[in-house]
Each structure stands twice: as structure tokens, then as C-alpha cells.
């Protein structure tokens, strides 16, 4: 694994916009000189490294599924802050094996030693368009003789075909609260993959999803039943709203399914360390206490974009980020410094589609926390 400089393509901004990255300016704080999509650098991997990483993330995914089974079997929903009325829904969804679509592991990896799991974004992961489409076209334009860890698009299409969702269109929902356009473009891309698989898709804002009390159904603005809802809207928000109280009554198929609440919660890191202590791809993690950790990252259970975090480094220094998360509790995970490549710190986003490793996206930042100031950089496998 190495980081190389490269010359950006002429008209690169227009090219990435054509391929769906319309939000590359709005999703990035305007005061930053470095663009969100940065093809002036790229990471180069060997095929052996990629094959080893594929094995790692598939093993981590299997471990995560075991953690769901553990929670459902033992009833330890309180560890994750899942409300009592929601627990039976999670259990029923898991026992039915409601189909899941995708997720993204965030890993610390420098090319030597085992990759370390930082977290699993299993409910509403983003950076999908740039991982699946945009960097693939960059590869074809700049390094056509090389390969890339990227079968995301093909696997998404195949997964839609496998899921047997039944009659009617699939509704694809985003929230109007997202002002960057990232979520609407991400969900539109998912709709594109579903339609390529032969399904009919229709877009809807989550705020426009209605409840028809007489029919006991969620409906769209035309009052047509929403039989399948693929949402880029977290389950913890749904169940916290009055809207969510109707979920048990409706036959709606949800993507992602509600059992993903176990995996989209950073308390998963605590459960994994309990179930697989000392595993080479895990970092010690504890709930609401640092335990015996002298240096750690304090993460809110339901935090996003690096908000409401606190880092205590081995030399005793502290760093905090702003945010309103944390009322639900915190995980204390052992501090493991991100690798340093020319002063930048990459985090590897390894994608799962269903239960198989599907590709890689890399975000990097000059700081200790990968947040909305990070940049996405492409990668390749040297030919």
C-alpha cells in the first residue's frame, strides 16, 4: 500500500459531476482549499493486500452477524439503547432473515499488520457513488491497465435480483434535511441499481411518507401503498418519532431491515470485543467507561460524521469535536493512530453487499478524526 501523486484530469470536476458526484462541492466545508474529490493523489495496492482485506472484512461481517444473534438470544438490547417496544421487532426481523443490502466497514490499515475495525456503517452508509462509480471511471481514464477493488455496482444489481421483494415499486427515500444533496444522489444511485435489476423504483422524501390509518399502511403522496421502502434515514430516528409507532402494524419491507439497528450502533464494538476478545482485527472497547485504557477514542453510540467525539492520546493530550450526540451513551475504544502518508491519514471504507466483500473507498484527512472535512481519493491495484 502506497500513496502516489498524480495529475488531475482536465475538466475533472465536470467529469465527476457527470458520474453522479454532483455534491462534491456542497458536501465539503467551503473554507477548505482541498476539494472533496481529490484525484491529485491515489493509493496503490497489491493484489495480495486486497485479497487479504477481502478475507478480513468478510470475517468481520460474520462476527457481526454472530453479535446480532447474541443480542437477540440474550435480550441485551439495553446495551445498544434500543427501546423496549422495538426489541421484539428486531428479533422478528432477524428470525425472518429479512434481507439486507449493503454496509461499509471503516478500517485502519497501513499495508503492514492486521487491519483494525473502527466502526461498521451498516444502516445508512454514504460515499457509495464515489466508491462504486466515480473512481472506476477515473481508473479507466488514467490507469486503464490497472485493476481496482470494486465490484460494488454489479453486486448491488445482483443483490436486488436475489431479494424477491414482491409486487409494486420500491420506494427510495431520503430526508429533505440534507442540504448537501449527498443523500438524494446516493439513494438515486441505489434506485438506478434496482432498476437495472428489473425492479420499478420511485423516489420520495421521508417527510412525505404518510400513514393511512384505515388501511394500516404507509402510503406515498398519491396514497399508493409503500410495499418496500429503501431509506437513507436511520432506524434510530424512525423509532424515536411518532411515525415509528406504526412500523409494527404495516407489512412494509424495509431496506435496510430493522435488525440492522444492532449493527449501526457503536456499542457493537463492545459486543464484538466481548465475544471475540483479543481478535487481531478488533480494538478493545468498553461501554460508558474507558476501563483500563490509558488512551482512547470516546464515541457516541449513534454519532455521525465524527461529531461529539473525544480523543485522549498516549501523551495525555485531548481533542474534542462539536456535536449534539451522546445522550444515548458512549463507547470507549482503544486509541489506534491512523497511518501517516505525507501528513494525511487514510481510513479504508470496505464495502459489503449482502454477505460478500465488494469494494473499497478511501477518505483521508490531516487530523485525527475522519469527518466532513475529509477528502475522498481513488485507489488502484497495480497491474
Amino acid at each position: 500500500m502506497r500513496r502516489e501523486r498524480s495529475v488531475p484530469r482536465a475538466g475533472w470536476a465536470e467529469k465527476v459531476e457527470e458520474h453522479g458526484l454532483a455534491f462534491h462541492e456542497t458536501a465539503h466545508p467551503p473554507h477548505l482549499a482541498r476539494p472533496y474529490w481529490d484525484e491529485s493523489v491515489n493509493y496503490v495496492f497489491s493484489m495480495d493486500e486486497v485479497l487479504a482485506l477481502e478475507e478480513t472484512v468478510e470475517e468481520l461481517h460474520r462476527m457481526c452477524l454472530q453479535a446480532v444473534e447474541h443480542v437477540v438470544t440474550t435480550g441485551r438490547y439495553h446495551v445498544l439503547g434500543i427501546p423496549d417496544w422495538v426489541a421484539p421487532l428486531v428479533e422478528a426481523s432477524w428470525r425472518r432473515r429479512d434481507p439486507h443490502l449493503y454496509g461499509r466497514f471503516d478500517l485502519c490499515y497501513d499495508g503492514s499488520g492486521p487491519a483494525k475495525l473502527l466502526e461498521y456503517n451498516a444502516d445508512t452508509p454514504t460515499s457509495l457513488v464515489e466508491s462504486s462509480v466515480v473512481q472506476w471511471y477515473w481508473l479507466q481514464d488514467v490507469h486503464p491497465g490497472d485493476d481496482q477493488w470494486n465490484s460494488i455496482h454489479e453486486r448491488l444489481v445482483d443483490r436486488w435480483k436475489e431479494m424477491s421483494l414482491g409486487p409494486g415499486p420500491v420506494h427510495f427515500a431520503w430526508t429533505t434535511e440534507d442540504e448537501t444533496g449527498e443523500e438524494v444522489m446516493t439513494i438515486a444511485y441505489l434506485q438506478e441499481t434496482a432498476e437495472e435489476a428489473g425492479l420499478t423504483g420511485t423516489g420520495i422524501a421521508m417527510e412525505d411518507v404518510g400513514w393511512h390509518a384505515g388501511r394500516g399502511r404507509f402510503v406515498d403522496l398519491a396514497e399508493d401503498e409503500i410495499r418496500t421502502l429503501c431509506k437513507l434515514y436511520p432506524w434510530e430516528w424512525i423509532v424515536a418519532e411518532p411515525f415509528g409507532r406504526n412500523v409494527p402494524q404495516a407489512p412494509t419491507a424495509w431496506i435496510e431491515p430493522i435488525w440492522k439497528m444492532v449493527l449501526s450502533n457503536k456499542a457493537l464494538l463492545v459486543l464484538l470485543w466481548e465475544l471475540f476478545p483479543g481478535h487481531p482485527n478488533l480494538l478493545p472497547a468498553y461501554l460508558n467507561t474507558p476501563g483500563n485504557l490509558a488512551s482512547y477514542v470516546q464515541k457516541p453510540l449513534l454519532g455521525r460524521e465524527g461529531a461529539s467525539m473525544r480523543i485522549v492520546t498516549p501523551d495525555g493530550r485531548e481533542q474534542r469535536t462539536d456535536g449534539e450526540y451522546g445522550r444515548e451513551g458512549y463507547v470507549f475504544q482503544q486509541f489506534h493512530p491512523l497511518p501517516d502518508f505525507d501528513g494525511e491519514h487514510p481510513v479504508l471504507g470496505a464495502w459489503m453487499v449482502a454477505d460478500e466483500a465488494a469494494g473499497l473507498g478511501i477518505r483521508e484527512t490531516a487530523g485525527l478524526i475522519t469527518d466532513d472535512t475529509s477528502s475522498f481519493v481513488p485507489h488502484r491495484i497495480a497491474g
Side-chain angles (χ1 to χ4, degrees):
M1 176 182 176
R2 67 182 186 272
R3 186 177 189 264
E4 289 190 353
R5 301 277 180 183
S6 54
V7 177
R9 294 166 293 175
W12 66 265
E14 291 78 9
K15 293 179 187 296
V16 302
E17 289 167 10
E18 288 173 3
H19 297 139
L21 200 62
F23 53 88
H24 69 95
E25 292 183 343
T26 56
H28 212 42
H31 66 276
L32 298 176
R34 187 183 185 190
Y36 170 65
W37 169 267
D38 188 359
E39 60 182 66
S40 70
V41 294
N42 65 92
Y43 281 86
V44 187
F45 294 83
S46 70
M47 183 60 75
D48 286 345
E49 284 178 313
V50 169
L51 292 175
L53 285 168
E54 283 187 331
E55 290 183 5
T56 293
V57 296
E58 289 188 355
E59 180 178 3
L60 286 169
H61 179 71
R62 289 192 295 270
M63 291 159 58
C64 288
L65 297 183
Q66 290 181 54
V68 180
E69 177 66 23
H70 168 78
V71 169
V72 169
T73 301
T74 62
R76 296 183 68 194
Y77 298 99
H78 64 281
V79 173
L80 301 123
I82 293 176
D84 290 343
W85 72 271
V86 177
L89 305 181
V90 173
E91 178 175 358
S93 175
W94 174 248
R95 295 300 184 210
R96 288 193 304 264
R97 293 297 189 265
D98 288 346
H100 59 293
L101 182 63
Y102 73 137
R104 191 193 76 229
F105 285 104
D106 285 349
L107 305 172
C108 179
Y109 179 72
D110 64 0
S112 62
K116 298 291 186 180
L117 174 63
L118 301 176
E119 58 187 70
Y120 191 13
N121 301 282
D123 185 21
T124 57
T126 53
S127 77
L128 180 64
V129 175
E130 45 270 57
S131 296
S132 178
V133 179
V134 181
Q135 67 171 343
W136 177 254
Y137 280 102
W138 166 86
L139 182 76
Q140 303 310 302
D141 287 346
V142 181
H143 296 282
D146 286 353
D147 201 353
Q148 191 174 80
W149 182 12
N150 189 357
S151 59
I152 300 169
H153 184 89
E154 297 82 1
R155 289 183 184 273
L156 285 171
V157 173
D158 289 344
R159 182 56 174 164
W160 285 114
K161 292 177 181 178
E162 294 170 354
M163 286 198 286
S164 302
L165 295 174
V170 178
H171 286 73
F172 290 82
W174 70 96
T175 173
T176 57
E177 292 182 6
D178 172 46
E179 298 177 352
T180 68
E182 180 178 15
E183 293 191 7
V184 70
M185 292 304 298
T186 302
I187 204 72
Y189 172 64
L190 285 173
Q191 180 176 337
E192 178 184 321
T193 61
E195 291 173 345
E196 190 172 325
L199 300 174
T200 300
T202 184
I204 188 172
M206 201 68 181
E207 290 79 3
D208 290 335
V209 173
W211 174 251
H212 194 294
R215 293 158 59 191
R217 297 290 190 271
F218 289 113
V219 294
D220 60 19
L221 290 174
E223 295 201 355
D224 291 328
E225 179 183 351
I226 298 176
R227 292 185 171 89
T228 301
L229 184 62
C230 178
K231 81 231 173 5
L232 208 62
Y233 194 83
W235 268 111
E236 64 265 20
W237 293 3
I238 292 175
V239 301
E241 299 170 356
F243 170 95
R245 290 286 178 168
N246 298 313
V247 170
Q249 307 170 53
T252 306
W254 298 84
I255 302 170
E256 295 294 310
I258 198 169
W259 64 259
K260 279 281 189 97
M261 286 188 77
V262 177
L263 300 185
S264 61
N265 185 308
K266 293 180 182 63
L268 171 69
L269 303 170
V270 176
L271 295 170
L272 289 173
W273 188 248
E274 287 183 11
L275 295 171
F276 307 97
H279 191 282
N281 300 119
L282 299 177
L283 295 168
Y286 304 98
L287 185 65
N288 292 323
T289 176
N292 60 359
L293 301 178
S295 59
Y296 51 83
V297 182
Q298 179 181 339
K299 303 177 178 182
L301 299 190
L302 302 173
R304 295 175 176 275
E305 292 287 355
S308 305
M309 291 174 59
R310 173 174 167 249
I311 294 179
V312 177
T313 58
D315 58 9
R317 290 186 296 170
E318 290 194 17
Q319 179 178 331
R320 296 176 181 265
T321 60
D322 295 332
E324 300 178 354
Y325 299 103
R327 290 186 297 274
E328 66 278 8
Y330 291 91
V331 163
F332 290 76
Q333 185 182 47
Q334 183 182 69
F335 176 75
H336 189 81
L338 296 175
D340 189 316
F341 288 83
D342 304 323
E344 296 289 339
H345 307 291
V347 167
L348 273 58
W351 289 91
M352 298 290 300
V353 174
D355 300 313
E356 295 183 332
L360 177 68
I362 301 175
R363 292 172 298 154
E364 63 176 18
T365 179
L368 297 177
I369 297 173
T370 305
D371 55 17
D372 63 355
T373 67
S374 63
S375 291
F376 188 101
V377 299
H379 80 278
R380 59 191 175 94
I381 303 171

